[in-house]
Amino acid sequence: MVCGILYVSWRELLTRFLQRLYFTNLTYYHLNMTLPGAIDNPDQRITQDVDKFCQQLSTVTPQIILSPFVIAYYTYQTYCSMGYIGPLSIYALFLLSTLLNKLLMGPVVSRVVSQERLEGDFRFRHVEIRTKAESIAFYNGGNLEANKLTRLMEKLLGVQLSVVHWQFPLNSERVLVIGSNYQGIPLYIIMYALIQT
């Protein structure tokens, strides 16, 4: 409930702010006519990107607020049951996972940015065809436009597949370290081995 209210409120605030900027000093005209390509698909940025950003932010914020308390509690509990080796090994595992994620995330982020840009271009091309449908039909350009859209879609799907391939190691690490249905069996085995020594 709280996440949903935060999401809607932040989206309203951010969209109003960006729209105010967009319509100040003919910015909408300059971005679309005099500076084409400076910001690709500003309509997508204001509508879809703001929506995704606010939705993600609203789900992460409660976790960020609660995390220090949860970490402190479990650090204390681990220390009480295992001594200093428990928290030390958990923090070492956390640092190792963080470094591994950092190495694997770089290529994924750049590909996701490309994917989002191509999604916007693909959507914009469809809007352009709808807007210029009469001219396209008059010049019998349907096949040409269809070929352009097909090439754009193939490029988009290629980048999307690349994102899926690069995300696989990130998802594999989550399953191996944190666990899925078995809640981190490898982590429990390591902790058990440390307790026995």
Side-chain angles (χ1 to χ4, degrees):
M1 178 79 172
V2 173
C3 292
I5 293 170
L6 285 174
Y7 159 62
V8 171
S9 300
W10 287 341
R11 182 173 185 198
E12 178 186 7
L13 289 171
L14 189 54
T15 302
R16 285 180 190 271
F17 174 75
L18 289 174
Q19 282 182 342
R20 197 173 327 122
L21 288 177
Y22 192 60
F23 289 103
T24 302
N25 298 326
L26 298 173
T27 303
Y28 63 92
Y29 173 77
H30 294 297
L31 283 176
N32 290 308
M33 297 300 177
T34 61
L35 300 170
I39 296 178
D40 62 321
N41 304 316
D43 55 315
Q44 178 189 2
R45 304 288 167 244
I46 293 173
T47 57
Q48 293 176 345
D49 290 358
V50 167
D51 178 55
K52 285 180 183 179
F53 173 76
C54 292
Q55 192 170 26
Q56 290 294 321
L57 185 62
S58 70
T59 57
V60 169
T61 300
Q63 294 172 2
I64 290 172
I65 292 170
L66 291 176
S67 290
F69 302 107
V70 171
I71 290 170
Y73 175 76
Y74 282 110
T75 299
Y76 175 74
Q77 290 296 325
T78 306
Y79 176 78
C80 288
S81 66
M82 295 179 60
Y84 75 92
I85 195 76
L88 186 65
S89 61
I90 290 172
Y91 289 134
L93 181 64
F94 170 75
L95 287 174
L96 179 68
S97 296
T98 301
L99 291 173
L100 190 59
N101 270 332
K102 177 68 177 152
L103 290 173
L104 294 173
M105 284 296 281
V108 173
V109 169
S110 63
R111 283 168 173 78
V112 168
V113 168
S114 294
Q115 176 186 344
E116 290 296 323
R117 183 179 46 79
L118 288 169
E119 290 277 3
D121 292 345
F122 188 59
R123 184 184 55 77
F124 180 73
R125 193 77 189 130
H126 275 280
V127 170
E128 206 171 40
I129 289 170
R130 184 183 68 210
T131 305
K132 299 176 180 176
E134 188 175 4
S135 299
I136 294 169
F138 182 73
Y139 287 107
N140 200 21
N143 289 336
L144 177 66
E145 294 300 327
N147 289 337
K148 286 180 183 177
L149 275 173
T150 300
R151 283 194 303 274
L152 195 56
M153 184 187 63
E154 287 170 353
K155 192 173 180 182
L156 169 62
L157 294 176
V159 170
Q160 226 171 4
L161 190 59
S162 177
V163 168
V164 169
H165 286 244
W166 277 94
Q167 282 178 336
F168 177 75
L170 293 171
N171 296 335
S172 299
E173 179 205 351
R174 187 179 307 125
V175 170
L176 291 174
V177 175
I178 298 170
S180 55
N181 295 334
Y182 300 105
Q183 299 305 315
I185 287 178
L187 180 60
Y188 292 143
I189 292 171
I190 293 169
M191 296 304 290
Y192 181 77
L194 289 173
I195 293 172
Q196 297 303 317
T197 56

